[in-house]
Amino acid sequence: MNSPQFNEALEKLRKAPRKVEVLKLLLAGQTNDEIAQSRGRAEGTVRKQISNLYKEFGIKSEFPGDRALRDKLKALFLKHKPEWVSNSSPAITNEARKESQKINYSGVTSLVLSGDEILEKSGEELMLLAINILEALGFEQTFKMSKTSQDVGYRLKNLENGSNPYQLILSKQKENLSISIPLEILEPHLLNLKYWEYTDVLEDIDLFIKGRFWVLPSKKDIFLESLHLNYWQILQVEGKTVGDCCINTRRYKKDPPIDIISFAMNGYKEYERRYIAVSSITLEEFNPETLSDANAYLVVNSDERFDEKWNMWKVSINLKEALQDFLIYFGKILMDKH
């Protein structure tokens, strides 16, 4: 909605003072129940009034629930009539306000959601949410933000020679947001699933990392309770969500019968490799995306764009609860480190 359309809708609304009262209470952050109590009306009546307000200002949402509609209405007034939004946070900069045509959030504390309020967001909306979360954390005090049409990077203000300039990069995708962080920051907090495997190059059984994961601390119990049967014994029994874990075993193999002639010529060389890999899970069965409840963990992968130069790894997020948990968790670590 452009400025003339907004002003026209607002002028029409001014002719109905009761609607204006409901609108201002709505913009102040009151719930339907609180508005109904303060006005002495049934909640159903208030809900209908609010629904009509959304229509009058052209507010629609592809996402279910009232929260997304409220955020869009609030963002619209922040753009055209900010004085009507009584609880807007100073953590949101003027730049963020300009970008808030689709969605706006006023601080970390207001972003906490219950499980049934998790809403999928597009990459554009998740990008704005991520910027607002980092601003609310005070990220700009330590890091300088650089922007392109697709990426937002945070680099140290006091940069030492030879160090990685970027400590966090947000990359907007169509349906998710990719977040890249140096592996040295991520590594101590990851669950690494390893696999014993024979290699022709090494001509031996060796251990390789086949998957890196970050389990949301708030959903550790859900992660363990929802584990795929393939991983139940190796993770759930120990309650393990951080550190290294093997998804198959290396078993000692007895020497084969000794050929006396071969033994005389080659000694023990042919009998030194006595270990074999015993696969309770084959690599064909290993699927990082079906490890457990999809909302309880994030898959961590090498970022091809930044790995070779800065050794940065990434997660892809399409849920705002996971985005909030990840950024608050690692945002604080990055600020404490620097």
Side-chain angles (χ1 to χ4, degrees):
M1 176 177 280
N2 57 34
S3 184
Q5 291 172 331
F6 176 84
N7 291 332
E8 183 181 350
L10 186 60
E11 192 60 32
K12 187 183 297 184
L13 185 69
R14 289 181 187 276
K15 299 177 181 179
R18 292 181 180 178
K19 286 187 178 181
V20 173
E21 290 177 15
V22 173
L23 174 61
K24 288 187 174 181
L25 292 172
L26 184 65
L27 293 173
Q30 290 197 17
T31 65
N32 292 357
D33 182 56
E34 289 171 339
I35 295 174
Q37 290 184 21
S38 65
R39 292 183 48 77
R41 296 287 187 273
E43 187 175 348
T45 301
V46 170
R47 192 181 300 114
K48 186 174 181 180
Q49 289 175 326
I50 293 174
S51 178
N52 289 334
L53 285 171
Y54 293 146
K55 292 178 182 178
E56 290 176 25
F57 285 96
I59 301 296
K60 298 178 182 179
S61 176
E62 58 190 284
F63 309 109
D66 182 50
R67 179 182 289 271
L69 295 168
R70 284 175 177 251
D71 289 334
K72 289 187 175 184
L73 181 65
K74 186 175 179 180
L76 183 66
F77 272 81
L78 277 173
K79 181 181 179 183
H80 297 293
K81 200 76 172 174
E83 63 271 21
W84 280 41
V85 184
S86 61
N87 67 334
S88 57
S89 169
I92 302 177
T93 64
N94 291 332
E95 181 180 9
R97 280 177 181 160
K98 291 178 183 178
E99 294 178 334
S100 296
Q101 295 180 24
K102 289 191 175 181
I103 191 167
N104 179 77
Y105 296 95
S106 59
V108 174
T109 54
S110 66
L111 297 175
V112 178
L113 302 172
S114 62
D116 59 351
E117 291 178 304
I118 299 174
L119 302 177
E120 293 186 357
K121 297 291 177 185
S122 70
E124 184 177 353
E125 291 172 315
L126 289 170
M127 174 69 87
L128 177 58
L129 173 56
I131 292 172
N132 286 343
I133 290 173
L134 293 172
E135 286 178 349
L137 286 174
F139 215 63
E140 73 283 354
Q141 296 175 15
T142 306
F143 300 93
K144 179 180 179 181
M145 184 174 71
S146 301
K147 296 181 65 175
T148 68
S149 60
Q150 202 69 19
D151 302 316
V152 174
Y154 292 87
R155 59 190 305 166
L156 289 168
K157 289 183 177 180
N158 301 319
L159 185 63
E160 297 179 1
N161 292 333
S163 60
N164 176 7
Y166 288 99
Q167 296 295 294
L168 188 146
I169 299 175
L170 309 173
S171 300
K172 181 174 58 178
Q173 311 296 325
K174 183 177 180 181
E175 297 181 353
N176 58 52
L177 186 70
S178 175
I179 305 177
S180 302
I181 297 180
L183 183 58
E184 64 181 57
I185 301 295
L186 293 171
E187 187 67 46
H189 310 276
L190 300 183
L191 173 67
N192 300 313
L193 294 190
K194 297 186 174 183
Y195 195 89
W196 288 105
E197 188 176 358
Y198 178 81
T199 59
D200 293 332
V201 176
L202 300 174
E203 294 185 343
D204 204 349
I205 300 295
D206 212 340
L207 196 58
F208 300 90
I209 294 180
K210 290 302 180 182
R212 287 183 167 94
F213 309 90
W214 184 69
V215 179
L216 278 66
S218 62
K219 295 196 173 183
K220 176 181 177 179
D221 292 341
I222 295 175
F223 174 81
L224 293 171
E225 292 169 1
S226 305
L227 279 168
H228 189 286
L229 290 177
N230 283 344
Y231 316 102
W232 181 269
Q233 289 297 328
I234 59 177
L235 293 176
Q236 203 279 339
V237 172
E238 298 182 15
K240 195 163 190 175
T241 58
V242 176
D244 297 337
C245 192
C246 293
I247 57 178
N248 67 346
T249 58
R250 188 180 70 154
R251 182 179 298 170
Y252 179 77
K253 181 180 180 181
K254 294 181 179 179
D255 289 337
I258 297 177
D259 181 282
I260 297 177
I261 296 177
S262 177
F263 176 76
M265 295 176 62
N266 301 307
Y268 282 102
K269 290 182 180 179
E270 293 185 5
Y271 310 105
E272 289 175 352
R273 301 193 237 341
R274 300 178 179 181
Y275 289 95
I276 59 173
V278 180
S279 298
S280 53
I281 303 172
T282 65
L283 287 181
E284 291 75 18
E285 293 176 311
F286 177 65
N287 184 353
E289 305 296 336
T290 59
L291 185 64
S292 182
D293 185 310
N295 296 328
Y297 71 100
L298 298 173
V299 180
V300 181
N301 292 306
S302 172
D303 191 325
E304 296 177 357
R305 295 190 301 164
F306 309 117
D307 179 32
E308 184 175 347
K309 188 175 183 180
W310 296 323
N311 195 25
M312 299 191 78
W313 287 58
K314 67 179 181 179
V315 296
S316 294
I317 300 177
N318 61 3
L319 294 174
K320 66 179 182 180
E321 185 183 46
L323 176 64
Q324 174 183 303
D325 285 359
F326 185 85
L327 282 181
I328 292 176
Y329 188 91
F330 286 103
K332 290 179 179 179
I333 290 174
L334 285 169
M335 288 191 297
D336 290 343
K337 177 180 174 62
H338 301 290

